[in-house]
Amino acid sequence: MKSYRTHIMLCAGTGCVSNGSFKVKDALEREIQKHGLQDEVGVVMTGCNGFCAQGPVAVIKPDEIFYQFLSVDDIPHLVEEHFLKGRPVEKLMYIPPSEKAPVPKMGDIGFFGKQRLIALRNRGMIDPEVIDEYIARGGYSALVKALTKMKPRQVIEEIKQSGLRGRGGAGFPTGRKWELVAAAKGDKKYLVCNADEGDPGAFMDRSIIESDPHSILEGMVIGARATGASHGYVYIRHEYPLAHKRLIKAIAQAREYGLLGKDILGEGLDFDISIQQGAGAFVCGEETSLIASLQGDAPEPRVRPPFPAEHGVWGAPTNINNVETWANVPEIINKGAKWFAGIGTETSKGTKVFSVVGKVENTGLVEVPMGITLKEIVFDIGGGIPKGKKFKAVQTGGPSGGCIPASLLDLPIDYEKLAEVGSIMGSGGLIVMDEDTCMVDVARYFLEFLKDESCGKCTACREGIDVMHGILERICQGNGKEGDIEMLQELSEAVKDSSLCALGGTAPNPVLSTIQYFRDEYESHIKEKKCPAGVCKALITYTIDPEACKGCRLCAKNCPQDAITGEAKEPHIIDQDKCIKCGVCFDACKFDAVLVK
Amino acid sequence: MSKIKPQDLEKIRVRMARTMSLRDGDAQAKITVHMGTCGIAAGARKIMSALLAIVEEKDTKDIVVTTSGCAGLCSREPMMTVELKGQAPVKYIELDEEKTKKIFSDHVLSGKVVKEYALAIGSERVG
């Protein structure tokens, strides 16, 4: 590699790529060439930087300057000013909400400052497609340690002592799982990396693979050393083309170096990894469904026991861990169980990666120590709620997680604490909701998703979620009746109790938690036929405040139904019979004269 | 590429060290070439090229070469600032390629400030 004086670490995670980072790359290289700087300034395409809301983003090394919202048009100025003349360009820097001065350095930006990177240790620091860069940052040294200095038993013990728990959602102790597979009888054993991230709005696993695919491969080879497995599968959904591509490349590089295949590192271990693509069904996140899909069967869960540790892929003992869990393994082996166990809370050790989305300023991917409060994530890292709106709730754990209200914002995040308040850790989706969110509508939305994703094997899940969704739909349309809330609660218990897998087992969470914390909203829908947040169309009316209306005609021009009448400079009126409640007038009005009730 | 042994990982690390130290930001020495319009007009690009050539030739691992804008003393350009880890920055003035080489070998590599080319030690107070 050439010895550049500056590296432009340009984000090539899916978020930034869809915002045009490869076009920015071409423009950068063109301008760098134009100024004759091609031997001094190198462009490095990295995995997801995490600050997806500001993409495409780039970090300039060694100056540590953070640039955001890069477009092709900015590049000539940027290259001339920063890379030729050494003057960082302020207008491309991050300005915190409600402040005026830009923050040049990445480490000074609140979004990054509170994060602690273990699973994402190499994000933005390496080109994920170059194995040597992973090795240069200490990559594969944990594997050497596990192969040359540790017995399989010691590797398992180290993982057990670290307190690492499954990051896919259930939180089962990883070392214990490994121990079961190591002890199981069978001539052939398998490892699986579960990369079937199915939660809407969650992209932790995708980003880890995109930014550091070798960390997963290394974790799996260490797992093979510990459990005696001879083959591994990465089960990845078809919707993740970039992660898939980088994984293929990483596996090929690892095989060339002899880090996968026969006699790994000359130390006598045989282990290889292949990739299996899934069609993107939510239920495949469940272990036994995943195994069925991997074998080409319909993805339906089955009764456990026997657990996959005894009877998994092709009937052989199988250990399944999530992407993030595997990515943690090399760091634990390198730095030791004690170090890892020193981070986090009593029951939940280490860090957790969250994808923070919804009504929050800084949407993106964050890795934080367990025990951090929801408030710190939403306000310090997330930058709070946009447009000065009030915080209402945060949903953790994806579609089958619970909604946690403002009164519990000081809750420290760990597996048990989240369960206590009726939610789950899940794989790490975190959806922030503001005052304009209707909680009944939210519950309806998630049940609609779960209704579609239920595989249909268990009656309670297949029929129960459908009936619950029907009730919620009715409530949102203004046809709720006395007893609906109680019926929802009763059905929830039935679905939870009589479903084989976690899909049905957790599906009622959004309903139960919204009833628990926002019962008043359900009651206004049912009794007063009102939607307090102004979301459910059947329950709201748009009117124009004659005092505030200036008669500018903007709403009338935009109305697709021609439902608004009135002379110029005179207050306008909405014809309720024509109005379809699309909200265009509300958005168009510059004087806040359109009211929603 | 052929199959590697445990000790080969270390060789890869050594080979990649310069590339990676640039990103870690904990280099032993940082050389800043002032590249304002004045600096460029006075020949700062030549100084930059010379520096990069020396870095390449000596195969140094943890030296960062970077640019910044005009240092405010346009009449004494080309200028550069040398900053060794834990030491005050030193500004050098009216540079040419020969002077740059000497500063590199005496100051950057051996820690001895080349007084005859130096303007001052330290920087302005910021803020």
Side-chain angles (χ1 to χ4, degrees):
Chain A
M1 188 158 184
K2 273 189 275 187
S3 59
Y4 297 111
R5 63 173 163 86
T6 290
H7 288 167
I8 303 170
M9 311 299 284
L10 181 60
C11 181
T14 291
C16 285
V17 168
S18 55
N19 279 319
S21 61
F22 279 101
K23 282 190 192 133
V24 170
K25 176 190 184 234
D26 293 342
L28 275 168
E29 284 174 344
R30 209 165 44 234
E31 287 299 314
I32 287 169
Q33 190 88 32
K34 199 168 121 193
H35 289 286
L37 298 170
Q38 65 276 7
D39 294 329
E40 298 177 21
V41 180
V43 182
V44 183
M45 300 306 277
T46 73
C48 178
N49 159 291
F51 211 176
C52 311
Q54 321 297 113
V57 302
V59 180
I60 311 307
K61 303 276 182 180
D63 329 21
E64 289 290 315
I65 304 285
F66 177 84
Y67 288 128
Q68 62 177 17
F69 297 127
L70 294 174
S71 74
V72 171
D73 296 342
D74 297 325
I75 303 306
H77 181 68
L78 174 69
V79 171
E80 183 174 338
E81 283 298 305
H82 191 153
F83 304 119
L84 184 67
K85 297 180 180 169
R87 290 193 292 237
V89 179
E90 282 204 358
K91 70 165 187 162
L92 296 173
M93 292 176 188
Y94 173 73
I95 301 174
S98 76
E99 282 179 40
K100 286 195 180 97
V103 181
K105 294 214 174 185
M106 180 163 155
D108 297 333
I109 297 173
F111 178 79
F112 297 106
K114 280 216 168 183
Q115 296 195 45
R116 177 154 187 183
L117 307 182
I118 298 176
L120 292 169
R121 58 194 174 277
N122 288 325
R123 81 147 173 222
M125 292 298 279
I126 62 168
D127 180 336
E129 300 190 6
V130 181
I131 187 173
D132 283 0
E133 296 203 1
Y134 177 71
I135 293 173
R137 301 248 317 151
Y140 289 107
S141 57
L143 175 62
V144 170
K145 190 173 170 187
L147 282 176
T148 59
K149 299 203 176 84
M150 297 167 89
K151 296 217 155 39
R153 179 72 243 156
Q154 288 171 298
V155 176
I156 293 177
E157 202 49 41
E158 198 73 20
I159 298 297
K160 268 176 90 178
Q161 294 299 324
S162 74
L164 177 66
R165 296 169 66 175
R167 298 296 194 241
F172 192 83
T174 306
R176 180 85 192 104
K177 226 177 187 179
W178 288 19
E179 197 170 39
L180 291 171
V181 175
K185 296 225 177 340
D187 351 320
K188 216 163 164 59
K189 293 178 185 177
Y190 294 100
L191 299 183
V192 176
C193 171
N194 183 350
D196 186 64
E197 192 169 40
D199 302 4
F203 48 94
M204 295 78 53
D205 296 344
R206 190 195 73 208
S207 295
I208 294 174
I209 300 176
E210 282 175 6
S211 59
D212 200 12
H214 286 285
S215 66
I216 292 131
L217 302 186
E218 187 181 2
M220 289 181 78
V221 185
I222 293 170
R225 163 74 172 165
T227 58
S230 57
H231 195 86
Y233 293 98
V234 179
Y235 185 88
I236 185 167
R237 53 176 42 221
H238 189 71
E239 287 102 320
Y240 285 181
L242 187 60
H244 183 233
K245 184 189 121 200
R246 289 192 179 148
L247 208 48
I248 292 173
K249 203 160 187 175
I251 290 175
Q253 290 169 344
R255 278 186 193 144
E256 256 185 88
Y257 270 177
L259 296 161
L260 282 176
K262 295 260 176 244
D263 193 23
I264 290 172
L265 286 164
E267 297 292 329
L269 176 71
D270 298 341
F271 181 72
D272 208 348
I273 295 176
S274 51
I275 303 172
Q276 188 76 29
Q277 277 188 295
F282 186 60
V283 75
C284 288
E286 200 279 336
E287 304 193 310
T288 57
S289 311
L290 187 153
I291 291 170
S293 168
L294 199 74
Q295 298 176 164
D297 301 327
E300 289 179 356
R302 60 161 176 80
V303 181
R304 292 171 299 174
F307 287 93
E310 293 173 320
H311 190 91
V313 180
W314 313 117
T318 300
N319 175 62
I320 304 180
N321 287 129
N322 156 274
V323 170
E324 192 184 334
T325 316
W326 286 120
N328 271 297
V329 168
E331 276 299 88
I332 295 172
I333 297 299
N334 257 336
K335 296 190 174 162
K338 250 199 191 137
W339 164 80
F340 192 80
I343 305 162
T345 68
E346 191 63 38
T347 58
S348 310
K349 304 298 186 191
T351 56
K352 179 76 193 83
V353 182
F354 289 100
S355 48
V356 183
V357 297
K359 299 294 171 62
V360 61
E361 284 281 1
N362 306 332
T363 53
L365 194 75
V366 308
E367 181 170 358
V368 288
M370 294 276 192
I372 192 170
T373 64
L374 282 170
K375 193 188 242 160
E376 284 173 281
I377 296 187
V378 175
F379 290 91
D380 298 346
I381 296 175
I385 317 299
K387 297 179 194 155
K389 296 274 182 183
K390 264 206 339 246
F391 170 86
K392 187 180 225 171
V394 56
Q395 195 205 27
T396 67
S400 46
C403 296
I404 303 169
S407 59
L408 293 170
L409 265 178
D410 286 319
L411 187 84
I413 294 184
D414 74 11
Y415 291 96
E416 280 66 30
K417 290 279 185 333
L418 286 171
E420 274 168 34
V421 299
S423 188
I424 52 171
M425 177 77 80
S427 60
L430 215 145
I431 303 172
V432 182
M433 301 167 191
D434 70 359
E435 57 186 308
D436 292 341
T437 312
C438 167
M439 300 314 284
V440 186
D441 182 61
V442 163
R444 183 200 58 78
Y445 169 80
F446 284 121
L447 257 67
E448 185 171 311
F449 173 83
L450 293 163
K451 172 178 76 92
D452 292 345
E453 293 293 336
S454 170
C455 77
K457 181 167 182 166
C458 309
T459 314
C461 175
R462 181 185 68 237
E463 302 296 332
I465 297 177
D466 192 39
V467 173
M468 288 171 73
H469 175 255
I471 296 175
L472 289 165
E473 192 102 276
R474 204 156 41 70
I475 297 176
C476 289
Q477 280 164 1
N479 299 320
K481 51 181 195 252
E482 204 67 42
D484 275 349
I485 297 179
E486 290 69 26
M487 178 57 91
L488 283 171
Q489 286 172 319
E490 202 183 322
L491 281 168
S492 293
E493 293 312 318
V495 172
K496 271 188 176 184
D497 284 350
S498 354
S499 300
L500 266 180
C501 82
L503 196 158
T506 54
N509 279 343
V511 180
L512 290 175
S513 65
T514 47
I515 292 177
Q516 183 182 355
Y517 299 115
F518 302 96
R519 197 185 175 103
D520 53 326
E521 288 195 31
Y522 278 85
E523 284 170 351
S524 334
H525 280 75
I526 295 169
K527 290 181 187 154
E528 296 152 35
K529 311 291 175 204
K530 287 236 150 40
C531 175
V535 172
C536 298
K537 283 191 180 162
L539 303 179
I540 53 172
T541 44
Y542 285 92
T543 50
I544 292 174
D545 177 0
E547 303 283 309
C549 180
K550 306 270 185 233
C552 72
R553 298 215 38 87
L554 203 55
C555 57
K557 274 183 208 151
N558 281 291
C559 178
Q561 293 298 101
D562 291 327
I564 302 176
T565 49
E567 293 299 314
K569 297 187 181 167
E570 296 291 329
H572 288 30
I573 295 169
I574 299 176
D575 179 348
Q576 297 300 334
D577 291 337
K578 285 187 184 169
C579 177
I580 55 165
K581 295 157 187 175
C582 64
V584 164
C585 53
F586 182 83
D587 294 333
C589 182
K590 291 180 177 162
F591 307 101
D592 291 332
V594 179
L595 309 174
V596 196
K597 272 185 201 146
Chain B
M1 277 193 285
S2 57
K3 303 242 184 288
I4 56 172
K5 295 268 181 296
Q7 59 273 20
D8 297 326
L9 288 175
E10 197 46 44
K11 285 180 201 149
I12 294 171
R13 263 170 223 133
V14 170
R15 174 156 55 76
M16 298 294 290
R18 196 194 305 153
T19 298
M20 301 319 279
S21 77
L22 186 62
R23 299 184 198 164
D24 289 333
D26 61 350
Q28 275 305 314
K30 184 173 157 190
I31 309 170
T32 308
V33 181
H34 297 274
M35 294 261 232
T37 305
C38 47
I40 294 172
R45 290 230 41 92
K46 266 193 233 152
I47 306 299
M48 173 57 85
S49 307
L51 272 172
L52 291 175
I54 307 170
V55 168
E56 189 83 35
E57 180 197 319
K58 307 242 179 195
D59 199 23
T60 53
K61 299 287 179 231
D62 50 0
I63 292 168
V64 164
V65 180
T66 183
T67 61
S68 92
C70 166
L73 201 66
C74 311
S75 58
R76 317 292 286 272
E77 295 277 9
M79 292 175 63
M80 70 181 186
T81 304
V82 174
E83 198 173 350
L84 300 186
K85 208 172 187 177
Q87 291 180 28
V90 179
K91 282 197 167 59
Y92 289 104
I93 50 168
E94 293 169 347
L95 296 169
D96 59 28
E97 280 147 322
E98 284 312 305
K99 289 180 187 173
T100 306
K101 274 184 197 155
K102 185 169 167 56
I103 294 165
F104 194 90
S105 59
D106 288 11
H107 187 175
V108 179
L109 293 180
S110 317
K112 220 174 97 230
V113 177
V114 187
K115 285 196 182 131
E116 60 265 42
Y117 308 146
L119 168 75
I121 294 176
S123 282
E124 310 90 318
R125 195 176 110 178
V126 180

